[in-house]
Amino acid sequence: MKENLIRDVIQGMLPYLNNAQGEKLREVLQFSLASYDIKEKEEQDDDEENFVELFLSAKRIEGCSEKTLNYYESTIRAMLYDLQKEVKHVVTDDIRRYLTEYQERKKSSKVTIDNIRRILSSFFSWLEDEDYILKSPVRRIHKIKTGINVKETYSDEALELMRDKCSELRDLAMIDMFASTGMRVGEMVLLNINDIDFNERECVVFGKGSKERVVYFDARTKIHLLNYLHSRTDNNSALFVSLKAPHHRLKIGGVEKRLRELGKSLGLNKVHPHKFRRTLATMAIDKGMPIEQLQQLLGHRKIDTTLQYAMVKQSNVKMAHRKYIG
């Protein structure tokens, strides 16, 4: 406990002392406190609990979803439980050691470890901004290099094979909706029939953080959507419903399962809703769509996220080199 107190005093004086003066102050404090018994406040556990709850409240106000907040909470609490230290006494070496041991214990990827680092950085930076701590211990832990994995997209041939294989009008409309809008599967299952503007070929979706944005679909999608809706006999307001009565709103798991079955029947690798989104982003970049417009279309807050989706084809790089350079 004495060392924690000394560390707090030293940290508070850092802006005003050089290294030699800091070491001297440490020696004086250690000598002066040697004959004293120092006990921690009993309400400290409540302080720790309040820090986490206050941080989550701040993130909730910023628009984070409950799923994201739960991930934040479990990540932060796991760190605090492992370190068994007050938030105010967590130092950079504690975080480094925690991340290293976590990776070794869980056999986690670099992407996972960097996600944990990012969440802890957000938590401690917020504590620093709110003056609960002097300086974030994660500040000196830099982003973990994860490398660039070029993820697969659907070829034009694969998309046509999926369309031809569809025996249900609903599935055909779903595939075209994914392919032409690039919307998330979570956004699609929330759509109602009244959300669709067939004249303008557009609809409003609710993305992450309940943010609204307009997405657009092509003429083929419009035709297949209308054919599907005209074939329905139910009164459900949802755009996509189950095939069998009582025709409930289709859920994310139902969409994913249907696409997996379709891909398996065609021998296609990893048919998944998000792959349509990545395909649209790549195609848009290849055809010259400005990255800022693609960012708005996909509903990304940061343009770096958009760039991760848009994997430019090497053949187009070669053509651009010939056009602009040689």
Side-chain angles (χ1 to χ4, degrees):
M1 186 58 210
K2 289 179 185 178
E3 282 301 317
N4 290 339
L5 177 59
I6 292 171
R7 187 185 300 117
D8 285 347
V9 174
I10 296 296
Q11 284 186 338
M13 293 299 294
L14 280 178
Y16 313 103
L17 303 174
N18 58 35
N19 289 339
Q21 291 169 332
E23 285 302 314
K24 187 61 178 177
L25 177 59
R26 181 185 298 277
E27 292 176 9
V28 172
L29 288 171
Q30 287 174 335
F31 178 79
S32 301
L33 297 174
S35 58
Y36 291 91
D37 290 327
I38 300 175
K39 294 183 179 179
E40 191 173 0
K41 290 193 301 183
E42 293 182 359
E43 64 269 18
Q44 190 61 50
D45 288 342
D46 292 336
D47 290 341
E48 304 298 300
E49 186 75 19
N50 288 338
F51 286 150
V52 178
E53 291 301 326
L54 288 170
F55 169 73
L56 294 174
S57 296
K59 287 297 177 183
R60 185 175 284 107
I61 292 171
E62 291 177 13
C64 289
S65 67
E66 288 303 314
K67 181 179 178 181
T68 299
L69 292 172
N70 289 336
Y71 183 41
Y72 279 8
E73 182 175 14
S74 62
T75 301
I76 295 166
R77 292 196 186 282
M79 179 271 300
L80 292 174
Y81 178 80
D82 189 275
L83 295 183
Q84 290 294 303
K85 297 181 73 171
E86 289 182 45
V87 166
K88 293 180 179 180
H89 294 143
V90 174
V91 296
T92 301
D93 285 343
D94 292 328
I95 302 297
R96 286 198 181 107
R97 185 171 60 254
Y98 173 72
L99 293 175
T100 301
E101 292 176 354
Y102 186 98
Q103 185 173 29
E104 292 175 351
R105 185 171 66 252
K106 301 282 189 177
K107 308 298 180 186
S108 302
S109 67
K110 290 183 178 180
V111 173
T112 298
I113 298 302
D114 194 59
N115 283 338
I116 295 174
R117 179 205 61 82
R118 179 174 50 80
I119 291 170
L120 297 182
S121 177
S122 178
F123 174 58
F124 282 105
S125 294
W126 179 84
L127 290 173
E128 179 182 335
D129 292 340
E130 296 293 323
D131 294 326
Y132 291 119
I133 61 174
L134 184 66
K135 186 173 71 172
S136 167
V138 193
R139 185 185 294 183
R140 288 181 291 176
I141 301 178
H142 303 297
K143 176 178 171 59
I144 298 168
K145 294 181 180 180
T146 57
I148 299 176
N149 295 321
V150 179
K151 296 183 179 179
E152 294 180 0
T153 57
Y154 295 121
S155 64
D156 292 339
E157 181 181 354
L159 290 172
E160 287 304 319
L161 285 172
M162 281 188 273
R163 291 185 179 105
D164 290 342
K165 189 67 175 179
C166 288
S167 57
E168 299 289 345
L169 292 174
R170 183 203 66 180
D171 296 345
L172 181 58
M174 241 179 6
I175 285 174
D176 279 329
M177 198 68 167
F178 274 130
S180 64
T181 65
M183 69 172 63
R184 302 176 180 93
V185 62
E187 296 167 345
M188 177 180 284
V189 297
L190 292 177
L191 282 174
N192 292 322
I193 298 172
N194 291 337
D195 294 330
I196 309 298
D197 185 336
F198 285 101
N199 290 328
E200 297 296 328
R201 299 209 308 262
E202 65 183 38
C203 61
V204 175
V205 298
F206 292 88
K208 291 184 177 180
S210 299
K211 295 177 183 176
E212 289 186 13
R213 77 177 190 284
V214 180
V215 298
Y216 309 93
F217 51 91
D218 56 22
R220 173 163 55 181
T221 304
K222 174 182 176 179
I223 292 171
H224 291 161
L225 269 176
L226 288 172
N227 289 340
Y228 163 59
L229 293 175
H230 289 156
S231 72
R232 281 172 52 178
T233 57
D234 62 273
N235 296 319
N236 198 315
S237 61
L239 180 62
F240 292 107
V241 297
S242 58
L243 296 175
K244 297 180 180 180
H247 304 293
H248 295 299
R249 179 185 294 273
L250 204 58
K251 297 180 180 180
I252 292 176
V255 177
E256 293 175 340
K257 181 181 178 182
R258 193 68 172 179
L259 290 177
R260 278 198 306 270
E261 292 172 347
L262 184 62
K264 188 176 181 180
S265 67
L266 290 168
L268 295 176
N269 184 39
K270 296 179 181 178
V271 175
H272 188 271
H274 208 75
K275 203 169 178 179
F276 290 96
R277 186 170 167 83
R278 195 182 308 124
T279 300
L280 178 135
T282 304
M283 179 183 66
I285 289 291
D286 286 341
K287 291 186 176 181
M289 186 176 192
I291 191 68
E292 295 83 4
Q293 293 180 16
L294 179 60
Q295 177 188 6
Q296 184 172 350
L297 183 66
L298 295 177
H300 290 152
R301 187 168 60 89
K302 295 182 179 179
I303 202 165
D304 289 349
T305 309
T306 311
L307 290 170
Q308 290 175 6
Y309 282 77
M311 310 307 293
V312 181
K313 295 178 182 176
Q314 190 61 35
S315 59
N316 287 3
V317 176
K318 183 177 181 180
M319 291 172 61
H321 181 273
R322 289 179 176 176
K323 178 179 179 180
Y324 296 108
I325 300 174

